[in-house]
Every structure is written in C-alpha cells, then in structure tokens.
Amino acid sequence: MNTQQKDLSYFRLRLQELLYASFPEKTYDNKFIEQRSSWAANAYEGAFRSGNSIDQCDEIANYILFEGLHFSRFDTVFHVVCNEFDTIMADEELRPFAFKMFPVCEPVFLSYELTDDFANGPEFDLLYTEITGTIAIWIEENGLQ
C-alpha cells in the first residue's frame, strides 16, 4: 500500500467515526466521505511538502476533513434525550430513542441558521427548549414504544 492510500484510509476512518457518532444522516454518503478524505489527505501531503510541522499538517487536514461538522443536530437531540428524558427510560435505551426522535425533530432545526459555533450562541437555548417540547409532545401522543 502506498503512502497516499494509507493517508486516505486514515482520514476516511476518522471521518466515518465522527459521522457514525454525530452525523448519522451522512454515515452512508460515500461520495462525501471519499471526497473529504481525499481533500484532507492531499492537504496534509501538500502542507508536509511545504515544510510545515506535523502539528500544522494535522491542523490543516482536520480543518478540511471536519469543515461544517462541528455542530451536530443528532448530538443535540441526544443531549436533550439524555438530560430531559433519562428518568423515564434505561440508559441503554437513550441512544436508540434519540435515533427515533431525530427525524421527528428535523423540522425544528429548519428555523435556525446552524453554523459550526451555533451551540455557543444565544439561540441554542431556544432550540434546546423547542426540541424538548417536540419530544415531550411525541411521547405524550405515542408513548415510549
């Protein structure tokens, strides 16, 4: 295996790990994964050839690899489920329930301009409250199932 393939595989695995954990809607977007991984590997190699330190090369590649992937809608739903509904279900049910609630909560996110630093802004509390309400209403109408 040549160095480029190894680098590409490394970046692909890192990206897939993040997508699986925080961006399930992109987990199977192979075109996105291949493109981002390739860009990151090329950026790393270019930065290295230009004489940058390993840390700088990593920083450049990570910027490209994870651009636009710092605020996760799924993580937000999961966070709400864990904080607000953890007393009505077992710990091992929290993540599966968050997966179930993710499409239910999708319309709530449409009202917000979601940027990488959205979680640090003042509108996050409002979003959190709306998601909590949406899930509470769903549970009231459907039960935990």
Side-chain angles (χ1 to χ4, degrees):
M1 176 184 324
N2 69 36
T3 305
Q4 177 65 21
Q5 287 175 324
K6 185 176 180 182
D7 290 344
L8 186 57
S9 175
Y10 169 77
F11 290 113
R12 181 182 304 118
L13 289 172
R14 288 192 62 216
L15 181 59
Q16 286 174 321
E17 181 180 18
L18 175 70
L19 296 179
Y20 176 78
S22 299
F23 297 89
E25 70 277 15
K26 292 186 178 293
T27 299
Y28 300 104
D29 188 344
N30 291 324
K31 182 178 178 182
F32 175 79
I33 294 167
E34 292 301 318
Q35 188 175 52
R36 278 291 178 90
S37 302
S38 178
W39 289 349
N42 289 336
Y44 184 95
E45 184 177 349
F48 185 78
R49 289 178 190 252
S50 296
N52 290 287
S53 70
I54 299 298
D55 288 341
Q56 290 171 319
C57 295
D58 282 337
E59 187 176 323
I60 291 165
N62 286 340
Y63 178 82
I64 291 169
L65 190 64
F66 301 124
E67 182 180 8
L69 298 174
H70 297 286
F71 178 79
S72 166
R73 295 174 299 170
F74 175 75
D75 283 349
T76 303
V77 172
F78 183 55
H79 185 71
V80 168
V81 168
C82 289
N83 288 339
E84 306 299 331
F85 302 98
D86 64 322
T87 59
I88 61 172
M89 64 186 85
D91 287 349
E92 63 272 5
E93 296 173 327
L94 295 171
R95 188 167 173 86
F97 186 73
F99 274 115
K100 185 185 289 189
M101 291 298 97
F102 185 60
V104 172
C105 295
E106 279 289 327
V108 176
F109 290 103
L110 297 176
S111 302
Y112 297 89
E113 185 177 334
L114 303 175
T115 60
D116 278 349
D117 61 349
F118 181 81
N120 301 323
E123 287 191 307
F124 181 77
D125 290 340
L126 182 58
L127 172 68
Y128 185 98
T129 301
E130 286 187 56
I131 290 173
T132 302
T134 299
I135 294 171
I137 291 168
W138 190 91
I139 290 171
E140 188 175 301
E141 292 174 352
N142 301 285
L144 287 177
Q145 301 181 18

